[in-house]
Amino acid sequence: MKFSVERMIFVMTIFSGILLLSGCSSLPHTGCNSIIPPLRTYEDVVKVDGPHLLEVSDSIEEFNRGTYRFNYYFDEYLFLPVVRTYEFILPDYVEDRVSNAIDNINEFGNFTNNILQLKIKASGITLSRFVVNSTVGVAGFWDPATTWGLKRQSEDFGKTLGYYGVGNGSYIVLPIMGPSNVRDTTGLMGDTAAFSLAGPVAWINNTGITTSFSGTSAVDKRHRIPFHYRQSGSPFEYELLRMLYTLKRDYDISN
Amino acid sequence: MWIRNATAAPQPYFYPFVNPYEATVMELPKYLEAKLPEEVPTREFTLRVFPKREIPEVFWYEDGLVCTLAYQDHKAPLVFVIAGTGSSHDTPRMKKLLKALYQGGFHVISLTSPTHMDFVVNASAGLPGDSLDDARDLYRVMELAYEKVRSEIDVSGFALTGYSLGAFNAAFVAKLDEDNKYFNFSKVLLINPPVSLYDSVSTLDQLLVENVPGGMDKFELWFRNVLAKFSNVTKEMGHAELSGDFLYNAYKRLPPSEENLAALIGLSFRMNSANMIFSADVMNGGGYIVPKNARLSNSTSLTRYAMVAYQTRFIDYFNEYLFPYCQKREPKLTRQSLLDRLNLRYIEQYLKSSEKIGLIHNEDDIILMPGDIDYLQSVFGNKARIFPTGGHLGNMSHPDVVSFMIDFLTGKENRP
């Protein structure tokens, strides 16, 4: 897509040359529909020495913008209504218990990825959290481990890959799930595979339970994300999300 | 601390942030806020201000101007609220104001600022930023909004308020209504308006330029650091949210430097301006940031336009785009005469003589120039309530501020 902007600017330059020759540039409103470069151009205004925060590798930008648009409609007309119904039916207290229980089951991914990154202490903490919260915390509905000083050691396979030096790769907007990149999408597939092959899904081996877990988990996840499309009030929301996602993942991996 | 207004009975006013930048950024924790209802009966409605206007494909998510109505179940006055720079009708601040006014006995219609892209795309007749044009655009929206809801609510009269740029807009709308007489507002309250719009926006923009350590060349480094700090705090606290209590607690854990706060205020203003400038340019056929006649689709990359827009100050927009645009229409217009009309002094006589127009402000408001408070005090006299602290809008949900607002708008203010 970067290419097409460059191409557009190229076309603009050619056109402005033609316009100068044809004398049409002074009369842009007389049916002459040619592209005229703006007063403030990228070339003049933006002084780039080094990477710019907003310029993130995005080789399938046109497709990504399509997915972003799909996600906006999906969120607005399907996902959020479901989440609002969920929030309407359940009291906040119960919602928090559900969140805790799901977090507890997801300690599986934190554990495997801490192990993969050879973070022995964090793996130990994660294991202890799972044991404490599953027992004292009654199947994870409560989180006594955190009050005892055992803080959640969040990890995922995308971060594990990053830890071993795998770069971001191009930005990808995933359907429904939103911002990601090649590395994190690979990571997500890895985590999902591990979760179903060796994790809680495999332990239970019951499609009904697995399906309702996935459903509840998706609703709970959306319920916890305070993001609403278009709340930024910015025509550059796509760019801002892409930048913030990239910065956040960079930060998470380097810490 | 005491309220400055000598005519009012002195009463203690406590506000936790003495630093004006802190006051501006931080929200009051709940226990210091005015008690407001959890829920009030509201509904959103959409106005198609220019039914024949074709919305450009690049704004595929725009489909009319959305407003919020809060309705009483009995006859009551209707108050219009105009949001501040770059804000929409449903920001947390607007929601609080709506609740406070509803609680004060009003039907309320919340309006998006003429500088917000939703307004620019759906309701601006031309470029935003000229006080007179913006007032006409707002007036048109207000008439349509009232027409849309008048069958559902029983209205006894009209009032008007707004904060920051919205207050500035409200003053010019009130003046316009003196000629048009559609609403005949009984009361108009200006909450923390700028005196000179140009001076205020220059100040806000300078906050960014002057407070990023090492200058704008080091912006990226600074921005990464700020995000890292914020991530650290949210990690420690286990979650992130944009509520007053959360920010207050986060703040107590990690007091950010005054430079960071100032730069963040400047950044937020710069981003709001960029949104407005880009949208206004597209809606007016391009030529400033986007090429003239370029067709932007719903999947065109806007990254380079964003980069240019974020490097464009409001005063660049004023000098390079708005002024030439206005001058084309009014050939005799000079830069100075346009500047003069972006100033409350332009309607000083009206503000002075009209009994219905009141003011709330803070002595330490960061958008004011030296001398502005004295000027405002001299213009509004005993129709002004000026608090010693509160920064720019920081104290808007403070109980003393809320009760002055309601008292003034309902005509119950305690004046000698």
Side-chain angles (χ1 to χ4, degrees), chain A residues 1-2 4-6 8-9 12 28-29 32-43 45-56 61-63 65-66 68-69 72-73 151-152 159 224 226 230-236 238-240 242-244 246-248 250-252 255, chain B residues 59-62 86 90 95 116-118 217 219-220 223-224 227-229 231-232 235-236 238 240-242 253 271-272 274-276 278-279 281 284 286-313 316 320-321 328:
Chain A
M1 205 54 208
K2 230 181 194 175
S4 77
V5 173
E6 276 155 13
M8 204 161 70
I9 288 162
M12 275 155 37
H29 297 298
C32 172
N33 260 353
S34 306
I35 291 172
I36 304 163
L39 187 67
R40 292 175 79 86
T41 60
Y42 172 82
E43 285 72 15
V45 173
V46 183
K47 307 277 179 280
V48 194
D49 28 275
H52 191 287
L53 278 174
L54 285 172
E55 281 182 314
V56 174
E61 185 167 349
E62 202 164 339
F63 171 81
R65 284 183 181 270
Y68 165 76
R69 221 159 51 238
Y72 164 81
Y73 290 117
K151 289 198 173 150
R152 181 172 299 117
K159 278 165 79 176
R224 279 195 265 178
R230 301 303 320 148
Q231 215 172 33
S232 67
S234 172
F236 311 123
Y238 177 90
E239 277 80 7
L240 293 175
R242 187 176 64 186
M243 175 189 75
L244 286 174
T246 308
L247 286 176
K248 176 80 172 79
D250 280 357
Y251 171 80
D252 286 346
N255 286 275
Chain B
F59 301 134
W60 50 271
Y61 39 80
E62 292 288 351
D90 62 351
K95 282 182 178 163
H116 187 282
M117 72 168 297
D118 291 353
D217 287 347
F219 177 83
E220 173 162 355
F223 191 67
R224 279 181 190 271
L227 275 189
K229 276 186 191 166
S231 295
N232 265 333
K235 210 173 184 179
E236 256 180 58
E241 55 178 290
L242 288 172
R253 277 168 195 252
M271 291 175 76
N272 282 336
N275 297 340
M276 179 197 80
F278 174 80
S279 312
D281 193 27
N284 288 277
Y288 189 50
I289 284 179
V290 300
K292 244 188 178 31
N293 302 327
R295 190 182 150 272
L296 306 178
S297 80
N298 57 17
S299 51
T300 305
S301 174
L302 304 181
T303 309
R304 290 193 161 190
Y305 301 130
M307 289 160 75
V308 175
Y310 289 138
Q311 299 230 0
T312 304
R313 296 167 303 167
D316 297 324
E320 299 168 355
Y321 201 21
K328 209 174 252 178

Side-chain angles (χ1 to χ4, degrees), chain A residues 29-211:
Chain A
H29 297 298
T30 53
C32 172
N33 260 353
S34 306
I35 291 172
I36 304 163
L39 187 67
R40 292 175 79 86
T41 60
Y42 172 82
E43 285 72 15
D44 292 345
V45 173
V46 183
K47 307 277 179 280
V48 194
D49 28 275
H52 191 287
L53 278 174
L54 285 172
E55 281 182 314
V56 174
S57 161
D58 191 352
S59 47
I60 49 166
E61 185 167 349
E62 202 164 339
F63 171 81
N64 281 340
R65 284 183 181 270
T67 316
Y68 165 76
R69 221 159 51 238
F70 167 81
N71 287 350
Y72 164 81
Y73 290 117
F74 181 84
D75 209 52
E76 191 77 10
Y77 297 106
L78 199 71
F79 214 178
L80 282 183
V82 171
V83 170
R84 280 193 208 106
T85 314
Y86 170 84
E87 288 168 348
F88 178 75
I89 294 171
L90 294 186
D92 290 356
Y93 182 77
V94 178
E95 286 164 14
D96 291 347
R97 301 287 74 72
V98 172
S99 297
N100 278 350
I102 287 170
D103 282 347
N104 190 49
I105 292 168
N106 286 334
E107 294 283 11
F108 175 79
N110 296 336
F111 180 72
T112 48
N113 284 296
N114 272 306
I115 291 275
L116 287 173
Q117 293 175 42
L118 305 174
K119 292 179 174 167
I120 304 305
K121 192 180 166 200
S123 311
I125 292 176
T126 304
L127 189 60
S128 319
R129 278 180 57 83
F130 183 71
V131 172
V132 169
N133 286 343
S134 302
T135 51
V136 185
V138 194
F141 283 112
W142 285 267
D143 178 14
T146 298
T147 17
W148 298 358
L150 298 167
K151 289 198 173 150
R152 181 172 299 117
Q153 311 290 314
S154 296
E155 287 298 343
D156 57 65
F157 196 50
K159 278 165 79 176
T160 301
L161 291 174
Y163 177 80
Y164 288 106
V166 178
N168 297 345
S170 175
Y171 181 68
I172 297 180
V173 181
L174 297 174
I176 303 167
M177 311 181 83
S180 187
N181 55 39
V182 172
R183 182 201 56 222
D184 294 338
T185 306
T186 314
L188 182 70
M189 292 193 289
D191 281 328
T192 315
F195 191 81
S196 32
L197 292 176
V201 174
W203 309 341
I204 293 169
N205 197 17
N206 176 319
T207 347
I209 294 179
T210 313
T211 314

Side-chain angles (χ1 to χ4, degrees), chain B residues 33 74 174 187 254 256 298 311 320 324 341 351 360 398 406:
Chain B
E33 276 191 343
H74 52 268
K187 289 283 177 182
L254 184 96
N298 57 17
Q311 299 230 0
E320 299 168 355
R341 114 183 160 198
L351 298 175
I360 294 188
H398 190 285
I406 303 300

